[in-house]
Amino acid sequence: HANTILVMNYDGTQFNVIGIQSQTAAAPTGFVDLALPSGLLWCEHNVGAATPYEHGLYFSWGNVIGHAEGSGYDFSDAVYAETPGAALTGNIPVNGTYDLARHNMGAPCRLPTVGEYQELNNNCDSEWTDEDGVAGRRFTSRINGNSVFFPASGYYNGTTLISRGSYGYFWSSSYHSATNAYYLHFNSGGVGPANNNNRRLGFTARAVQ
């Protein structure tokens, strides 16, 4: 079994098992084990960020090129129509072509599905908080007490950053329609783990593995 150590003794002819030890696997660096039913690990920071309190990059859905705050990129219908993501007619496959987490952070990182955001919300208590001068929500596992912080990074509509410090918008890999995709939404009042919105908008993202 995984995470099991066999203690063995060699008698000159064969190895004999003399003990079995169970070992708890540590989460990979930068990822948090929330003891979720799926076994999924959540990254502790946004895609394009180095710490939990940085906002990272903003992405339109299905596109791996992220844009930093103040870049001047236009998250508009006309620009989105010319991007690879606009051609998607289903969920984002786990590959470097459309999966922005896999492309920017490498395997086995990937974008979460809408169902995985629901699992996170269902198995964690979340609290609106201000940490290191950054507003957001901390999701704390009801199972093992570990937690991850999501900053309220707002979103881009066209070239305008909206709702920084009051709302969080995080893309999933799940398709909704020709115009919309699913995302995690939160503010000080609560969490919406299965919202959908226009794919052209610039949302932040979080990786899982």
Side-chain angles (χ1 to χ4, degrees):
H1 295 280
N3 307 322
T4 299
I5 299 174
L6 297 179
V7 181
M8 308 184 79
N9 172 260
Y10 184 63
D11 64 9
T13 305
Q14 63 184 10
F15 285 97
N16 301 298
V17 177
I18 60 173
I20 300 175
Q21 298 176 4
S22 178
Q23 178 176 289
T24 301
T29 302
F31 283 79
V32 179
D33 180 5
L34 300 168
L36 299 173
S38 67
L40 201 66
L41 305 178
W42 284 83
C43 189
E44 63 184 5
H45 57 76
N46 287 359
V47 177
T51 75
Y53 307 114
E54 297 174 25
H55 298 287
L57 300 172
Y58 292 79
F59 300 83
S60 53
W61 190 77
N63 293 302
V64 300
I65 304 302
H67 303 277
E69 180 182 349
S71 69
Y73 183 82
D74 185 8
F75 289 93
S76 66
D77 284 322
V79 172
Y80 184 72
E82 300 300 318
T83 66
L88 276 169
T89 57
N91 295 339
I92 293 174
V94 182
N95 58 42
T97 304
Y98 299 102
D99 190 316
L100 62 92
R102 176 65 57 92
H103 177 85
N104 286 278
M105 298 178 65
C109 299
R110 62 173 176 82
L111 271 181
T113 66
V114 63
E116 289 164 345
Y117 277 130
Q118 291 172 309
E119 180 190 53
L120 175 73
N121 191 53
N122 290 342
N123 290 277
C124 293
D125 292 317
S126 71
E127 177 187 16
W128 182 259
T129 182
D130 189 295
E131 301 184 15
D132 202 31
V134 178
R137 274 198 172 266
R138 181 165 287 280
F139 291 79
T140 302
S141 170
R142 299 191 191 106
I143 306 166
N144 69 359
N146 291 343
S147 67
V148 286
F149 177 78
F150 285 71
S153 302
Y155 71 99
Y156 270 95
N157 185 1
T159 58
T160 303
L161 180 60
I162 299 170
S163 299
R164 162 69 62 79
S166 56
Y167 288 84
Y169 301 82
F170 289 77
W171 281 129
S172 80
S173 61
S174 300
Y175 174 90
H176 177 268
S177 68
T179 58
N180 286 24
Y182 287 102
Y183 69 102
L184 169 74
H185 165 269
F186 62 79
N187 58 17
S188 60
V191 180
N195 288 28
N196 69 85
N197 211 327
N198 199 300
R199 291 157 49 169
R200 68 173 173 82
L201 297 172
F203 290 179
T204 48
R206 186 63 62 98
V208 295
Q209 61 172 262

